[in-house]
């Protein structure tokens, strides 16, 4: 007990951020047998609970699937599944109070905006899903949407063309360069929990991409508020140990796993301004970048994406 307290104290001296709030791992895009997943909701929840997740949003198509999380925090959600001919237009709604039916519209922007508005009306937080699924829409459409601050930039689904061209990450940079405050989310979009692959189908497995949220409490309201203010990161592998942002700098340290080597890129307006090799990196903010975001790449093709820091222009 005492040893823990001393360790916590020492940790506190080294980094203030790690003690102010806790990092909570979660997945915000999940399917079960209630829509087109292959497992019962209970089995899906068990998978995430047994793999160290702190929270889960089940997002079956056009319905809210509720059940007892058995010790894991479940946030109610839905994948609002709208479309135009040959264009799937989907968004996840987190923390919904009531089901949202797809609202429709004449253009991708109109459809997505109607659905965003309906999600907000129902008390939920919208996240725009997989723009490159069927190459349905891109940065131009995303730039016209209002009252939405999150887009999927990493996905475990094998058919959503995240890497483009154009990659969804590059669309994110276009939005940020144009002054939009948008945060990037990593999700599983998991459908397949079984051992047997469905015939002729590529598997959308759980545990591929996730977010880690820095929230004051392991509660729905605190987690969703942290997401809305961009206090989280997306990852397909790397874990962040400490992350500190001041008006002068962005500093982070990475948790070493296996024999991975790490590169940290600081990106602004789609360009890498600085690359640091190692498990820690610091970027000094000049003040004219517009925004800077850190990206961690490991030596096995996995990555973590920190949210953009909007640089105040220094006098
Ligand atoms: Zn979808
Ligand atoms: Zn989905």
């Amino acid at each position: 007990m005492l040893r823990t307290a001393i360790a916590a104290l020492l940790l506190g001296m080294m980094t203030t951020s790690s003690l102010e709030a806790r990092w909570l791992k979660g997945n915000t895009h999940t399917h079960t047998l209630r829509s087109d997943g292959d497992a019962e909701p209970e089995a899906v929840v068990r998978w995430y609970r047994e793999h160290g997740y702190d929270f889960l949003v089940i997002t079956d198509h056009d319905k809210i699937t509720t059940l007892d999380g058995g010790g894991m925090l479940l946030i109610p959600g839905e994948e609002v599944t709208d479309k135009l001919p040959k264009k799937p237009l989907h968004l996840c709604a987190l923390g919904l109070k009531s089901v949202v039916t797809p609202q429709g519209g004449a253009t991708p922007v109109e459809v997505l905006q109607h659905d965003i508005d309906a999600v907000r009306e129902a008390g939920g937080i919208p996240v725009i899903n997989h723009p490159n699924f069927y190459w349905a829409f891109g940065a131009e459409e995303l730039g016209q949407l209002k009252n939405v601050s999150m887009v999927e930039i990493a996905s475990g689904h094998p058919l959503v063309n995240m890497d483009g061209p154009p990659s969804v990450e590059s669309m994110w940079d276009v939005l940020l360069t144009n002054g939009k405050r948008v945060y990037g989310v990593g999700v599983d979009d998991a459908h397949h929990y079984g051992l047997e692959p469905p015939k002729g189908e590529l598997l959308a497995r759980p545990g591929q991409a996730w977010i880690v949220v820095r929230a004051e409490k392991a509660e729905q309201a605190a987690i969703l508020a942290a997401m809305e203010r961009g206090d989280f990161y997306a990852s397909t592998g790397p874990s962040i140990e400490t992350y500190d942002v001041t008006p002068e700098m962005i500093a982070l340290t990475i948790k070493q796993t296996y024999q991975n080597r790490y590169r940290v890129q600081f990106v602004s307006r789609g360009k890498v301004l600085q690359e640091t090799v190692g498990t820690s990196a610091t970027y000094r903010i000049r003040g004219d970048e517009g925004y800077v975001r850190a990206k961690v790449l490991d030596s096995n093709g996995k990555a973590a994406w920190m949210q953009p820091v909007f640089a105040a222009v220094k006098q």
Side-chain angles (χ1 to χ4, degrees):
M1 186 68 188
L2 185 64
R3 194 183 272 179
T4 315
I6 290 168
L9 201 68
L10 286 172
L11 203 67
M13 285 159 69
M14 286 186 287
T15 163
T16 49
S17 65
S18 56
L19 292 180
E20 284 164 5
R22 42 177 156 172
W23 295 99
L24 302 167
K25 181 177 179 177
N27 174 41
T28 59
H29 189 167
T30 325
H31 297 278
T32 78
L33 265 175
R34 302 280 167 86
S35 62
D36 55 352
D38 73 351
E40 292 288 354
E42 290 75 13
V44 170
V45 170
R46 194 183 321 123
W47 191 95
Y48 283 95
R49 200 172 52 228
E50 288 175 355
H51 288 80
Y53 284 70
D54 298 297
F55 69 95
L56 178 68
V57 191
I58 293 176
T59 53
D60 278 315
H61 294 285
D62 300 324
K63 58 167 67 97
I64 300 174
T65 298
T66 52
L67 71 156
D68 185 344
M72 191 171 63
L73 177 62
L74 293 182
I75 296 174
E78 172 191 345
E79 184 168 17
V80 181
T81 312
D82 221 329
K83 63 175 186 297
L84 283 169
K86 291 186 184 162
K87 280 185 191 293
L89 301 163
H90 300 178
L91 52 94
C92 275
L94 318 181
L96 274 178
K97 293 191 173 68
S98 56
V99 175
V100 170
T101 49
Q103 303 289 299
T107 65
V109 172
E110 213 178 281
V111 171
L112 289 167
Q113 191 63 57
H114 288 164
D115 291 334
I116 289 163
D117 295 346
V119 167
R120 292 281 185 194
E121 189 75 20
I125 291 171
V127 179
I128 303 293
N129 294 352
H130 47 59
N132 280 347
F133 189 38
Y134 285 77
W135 308 103
F137 57 98
E140 199 187 316
E141 289 84 357
L142 285 165
Q144 295 173 57
L145 300 174
K146 295 178 177 66
N147 293 322
V148 62
S149 63
M150 287 183 269
V151 61
E152 290 182 353
I153 52 131
S155 175
H157 199 291
L159 295 172
V160 294
N161 308 308
M162 277 292 164
D163 292 339
S167 70
V168 181
E169 187 173 1
S170 73
M171 294 177 195
W172 187 26
D173 278 316
V174 170
L175 298 175
L176 295 170
T177 301
N178 292 336
K180 283 245 167 196
R181 293 201 171 224
V182 180
Y183 305 121
V185 181
V187 302
D188 276 334
D189 200 353
H191 289 72
H192 306 123
Y193 304 83
L195 296 172
E196 289 297 314
K199 267 209 180 75
E201 255 188 75
L202 288 172
L203 297 176
R205 289 282 199 201
Q208 307 301 306
W210 55 88
I211 55 171
V212 183
V213 180
R214 188 155 54 176
E216 291 82 30
K217 286 181 190 162
E219 287 173 4
Q220 175 176 327
I223 289 168
L224 294 180
M227 288 182 73
E228 284 258 80
R229 65 172 184 266
D231 209 353
F232 67 102
Y233 66 90
S235 181
T236 56
S239 293
I240 304 305
E241 219 160 47
T242 62
Y243 182 62
D244 292 292
V245 177
T246 70
E248 283 78 40
M249 52 148 227
I250 304 168
L252 64 83
T253 59
I254 303 152
K255 186 173 179 242
Q256 176 71 53
T257 54
Y258 304 103
Q259 281 73 48
N260 273 307
R261 284 186 179 164
Y262 300 94
R263 286 180 292 148
V264 183
Q265 296 179 335
F266 293 93
V267 178
S268 181
R269 298 179 178 128
K271 294 203 168 58
V272 177
L273 300 181
Q274 179 186 315
E275 182 170 288
T276 305
V277 174
T279 54
S280 66
T282 301
Y283 176 83
R284 308 234 163 256
I285 296 171
R286 297 192 312 248
D288 62 352
E289 295 96 332
Y291 75 93
V292 182
R293 62 179 182 86
K295 180 183 183 183
V296 177
L297 300 100
D298 78 11
S299 43
N300 289 291
K302 309 292 188 192
W305 296 262
M306 311 310 289
Q307 303 305 335
V309 172
F310 299 95
V313 177
K314 286 175 186 161
Q315 299 303 313

